[in-house]
Amino acid sequence: MRKFLLSLAMLGVASVPAAGQSIGGTYTVSGTNFDGSQYGGEATITLTSDTTCTIHWETGGSSSDGICMRNDNAFSAGYVMGKEIGLVVYKVEKDGSLHGLWTIAGQNGNGTETLTPK
């Protein structure tokens, strides 16, 4: 996966507008690390209730799991990477893709990540 392994992710599926599409499904992952290096892989989001989901990433030979939450066009994730804690904030685009920035607590900078529905 990326240099920053996503171990726990809190990503959300809260209030989805009537015209909004389901966030559940399989996505192609592409992103950049703090140093600009690129990573890719796949993520699967599974709805678990009206307001939550689980997410599983397979990127760069690593796998990570987390929980999810959505609010309108915002989709965010908290995760644990080893002993580090991080945050990913995505915008849900009209085409169903998720475009976001991620960071790790106590570190300067951020990476990017895009999830594109398969």
Side-chain angles (χ1 to χ4, degrees), residues 25-87:
T26 304
Y27 295 79
T28 300
V29 177
S30 62
T32 59
N33 294 298
F34 283 18
D35 64 4
S37 62
Q38 297 183 348
Y39 63 87
E42 184 174 282
T44 303
I45 298 172
T46 305
L47 302 178
T48 56
S49 78
D50 290 341
T51 58
T52 62
C53 60
T54 60
I55 185 166
H56 177 79
W57 287 271
E58 292 283 341
T59 56
S62 299
S63 64
S64 301
D65 294 286
I67 65 169
C68 315
M69 187 176 158
R70 178 180 179 178
N71 184 15
D72 197 24
N73 71 342
F75 193 73
S76 60
Y79 62 88
V80 174
M81 178 187 69
K83 294 183 179 181
E84 298 177 309
I85 298 170
L87 177 68

